[in-house]
Amino acid sequence: MNLSFAITSLEQGLAFGIMALGVFISFRILDFADLTVDGSLPLGAAVSARLLVAGVNPFYSLAAAVVAGGMAGAITGFLNTKLKIAPLLSGILTMTSLYSINLRVMGRPNIPLIGKDTIFSFIRDLGVPYPWNNLLLLILVIVVVKFLLDAFLNTQIGFALRATGDNPQMIRSMGISTNSMKMLGLIISNALVALSGALVGQYQGFADVNMGVGTIVAGLASVIIGEVVIGEKSIMIATIGVIIGSILYRFSISIALNLGLAASDLKLLTAVIVIVFLSTPRIKKALR
Amino acid sequence: MLKVKNLEKIFYKGTPNENVAINKIDLTVNEGDFITIVGSNGAGKSTLLNSIAGVFPVDNGNIFLDDEDITAKTEYKCAQKIGRVFQNPLAGTSPEMTIEENLSLAISKSNNLSLKWGLSKHKREIMQKHLEKIDLGLEKRLTTKVKLLSGGQRQALTLLMATVANPRLLLLDEHTAALDPATAIKIKNLTAELVNSNNITTLMITHNMEDAIKMGNRLIMMDGGQIIYDIQGEEKENLTIEKLLKMFEIKHGGKFNNDRMLLSV
Ligand SMILES: Nc1ncnc2c1ncn2[C@@H]1O[C@H](COP(=O)(O)OP(=O)(O)OP(=O)(O)O)[C@@H](O)[C@H]1O
Ligand SMILES: [Mg+2]
């Protein structure tokens, strides 16, 4: 693996790391298996790409993606908490609807962003040399997101959110609505996933209606790799773990490709990675 | 302060399995009452407490807390004024969160949640003081995850969390039944201490006749979804287990049947 390959993996790990933080919120904090993300990632890319084509400031386009993602999360939350549809199915329903919505947003299945102003062209034009331009920007974004998230999870509302996934009975006994907390968690989670989608779209230079396939598994892989490698002693450590997990995941994908694996086999590989990491604690126990 | 009027709760209403769990109960609880509740299995004790706590909608009647009609309020809304401790020591705390994070939620309970920090120096001082009172050494373990505590320690913490925000009403449903005898005694003493020092109006279900007689100022016996005795004052002070069992047999027309209760007599 040469250097540029490594840099690409690192950049992808960071860009998708924000998505992984979103998955961490739904899966780990809320204990809600939310499949919306397969739709909210391309939603973020679609919204941002459409706005970029219209000449909107790329940073504003990120903000718009965040709002759109939050709305997607709210819909899943509504299906689950108000209409009492099971979590898994709520996510699948939103995800499926988003496929059509994303096509509407883009007006076609693919929007190329070559030659358009993006946040990456912005930093390049500032004169930051390769490879630091993309890396610095992505690191900056993910560090800000991580610290905001850590801070939020240590507020009173953050505590309530964490306890909701851990013991909903306790949260109700504390006079807090578990439904509101689920809604809030899903909004934040999908807002982050859409932000990640917008970043990925601008980074790779196009938005595609199919770019979300397998997002949830990749996110899960990152979360779980992070837990195994870094641990989850505190929120701060767990979120570092998620980001490291995302980077390691993208590296393993690159290595697999380098070893000659076909791109079409990647989904299978990802699933196997998740299975291996999910089962390690159990295998370790069995061996003891 | 708590008024239950003509309360009715029927499970599986309109089906062959229809089950009248609460059969037209009237109950007035006075400010500062500490009521123990006994009754055979399936008498409706838990259902009564669950109805008051808003766990499920009732089929008839009304519940007033401080003259406010809380009959239709959902569980979390009721919980803003009501503290609860369950039989399961795992039910009342968040295992993955630390002692101080759990307590922080309980202390914030009376306020609205906000984006203020969950923990602060001031809050920690309050926690220290409360934890010192329960005397289990937990004040030195604020940052320990609750899942690492023993069942008794968790139940003590739950009890503290249920009372720390000075609820108007405390509901205890066999909250010492899952603990070993020595730990159960500790938790019972702690219960009496917390309830008395804060003067919290309390309803406590117990399967232990001795406790039911010893603790509190009033004893309620339930059977078949009804309150069959409501004993207080001198009458309660002179009560014995034998008397209580005899009273039950008179009304019920048969032997008292509560597996756990007979074991603990
Ligand atoms: N959630 C529920 N769904 C259906 N039936 C219920 C439910 N909860 C209680 N019941 C029924 O209502 C009746 C009263 O039950 P409850 O749990 O109130 O009894 P209890 O007095 O608490 O008994 P125990 O001493 O065994 O705890 C029982 O016949 C029980 O089967
Ligand atoms: Mg019961």
Side-chain angles (χ1 to χ4, degrees), chain B residues 20-264:
Chain B
V20 183
I22 298 287
N23 190 0
K24 303 203 177 74
I25 282 189
D26 285 297
L27 174 68
T28 301
V29 178
N30 304 312
E31 188 81 47
D33 267 352
F34 183 165
I35 304 181
T36 58
I37 304 177
V38 295
S40 48
N41 296 125
K45 307 181 293 293
S46 298
T47 308
L48 176 62
L49 258 51
N50 283 334
S51 305
I52 296 170
V55 174
F56 35 57
V58 296
D59 295 279
N60 227 324
N62 290 87
I63 302 164
F64 298 91
L65 183 60
D66 291 332
D67 296 323
E68 182 194 2
D69 189 343
I70 61 165
T71 319
K73 277 197 170 181
T74 50
E75 187 180 354
Y76 84 88
K77 287 230 174 86
C78 291
Q80 283 156 0
K81 286 188 163 185
I82 299 176
R84 287 174 85 195
V85 183
F86 307 92
Q87 181 174 351
N88 179 357
L90 307 184
T93 46
S94 168
E96 289 296 334
M97 294 171 72
T98 62
I99 294 179
E100 57 181 9
E101 288 168 344
N102 271 278
L103 267 173
S104 153
L105 280 166
I107 293 175
S108 319
K109 182 173 168 181
S110 40
N111 317 319
N112 280 325
L113 285 182
S114 75
L115 283 176
K116 282 193 211 128
W117 294 120
L119 291 165
S120 64
K121 206 170 150 234
H122 174 66
K123 251 191 184 175
R124 283 206 179 89
E125 278 163 11
I126 299 177
M127 289 175 194
Q128 299 269 4
K129 246 196 282 156
H130 285 295
L131 286 171
E132 274 162 25
K133 261 192 286 171
I134 68 174
D135 201 22
L136 289 170
L138 296 182
E139 66 275 8
K140 289 179 220 107
R141 302 175 62 189
L142 282 180
T143 54
T144 302
K145 283 195 180 179
V146 166
K147 67 176 173 189
L148 300 175
L149 302 183
S150 70
Q153 288 171 327
R154 272 182 88 160
Q155 203 63 327
L157 182 61
T158 308
L159 200 55
L160 182 57
M161 288 171 61
T163 52
V164 74
N166 275 322
R168 291 293 293 140
L169 184 65
L170 179 64
L171 304 178
L172 309 170
D173 191 347
E174 303 195 32
H175 69 302
T176 60
L179 307 172
D180 65 79
T183 314
I185 290 174
K186 269 192 210 154
I187 298 292
K188 280 175 216 163
N189 292 338
L190 180 61
T191 306
E193 203 181 302
L194 288 172
V195 167
N196 292 335
S197 67
N198 299 307
N199 198 24
I200 304 171
T201 309
T202 302
L203 303 183
M204 179 179 97
I205 298 176
T206 176
H207 61 261
N208 186 317
M209 291 276 192
E210 212 181 304
D211 292 343
I213 292 169
K214 248 181 16 207
M215 296 174 79
N217 66 321
R218 198 170 152 190
L219 182 150
I220 281 177
M221 183 180 259
M222 289 185 65
D223 188 46
Q226 291 181 319
I227 294 177
I228 54 172
Y229 289 106
D230 185 346
I231 307 162
Q232 45 192 317
E234 210 175 315
E235 198 187 352
K236 172 153 186 295
E237 274 156 35
N238 297 328
L239 211 55
T240 61
I241 295 176
E242 291 70 35
K243 272 192 205 164
L244 202 54
L245 287 175
K246 185 136 294 140
M247 286 166 72
F248 175 81
E249 280 158 27
I250 292 169
K251 280 258 171 153
H252 184 77
K255 283 246 178 275
F256 196 92
N257 111 61
N258 187 326
D259 333 339
R260 281 161 300 161
M261 201 171 280
L262 291 180
L263 286 177
S264 55

Side-chain angles (χ1 to χ4, degrees), chain A residues 151-205:
Chain A
F152 171 71
L153 290 174
N154 278 304
T155 62
Q156 293 177 3
I157 297 181
F159 281 2
L161 192 71
R162 287 161 57 196
T164 300
D166 207 20
N167 184 352
Q169 175 61 61
M170 173 264 204
I171 264 310
R172 279 194 295 274
S173 307
M174 289 296 124
I176 301 165
S177 154
T178 49
N179 283 349
S180 312
M181 286 300 131
K182 272 190 206 164
M183 194 75 160
L184 179 68
L186 290 171
I187 289 174
I188 296 173
S189 165
N190 283 287
L192 288 181
V193 174
L195 172 63
S196 170
L199 285 172
V200 169
Q202 297 194 19
Y203 170 78
Q204 66 188 12

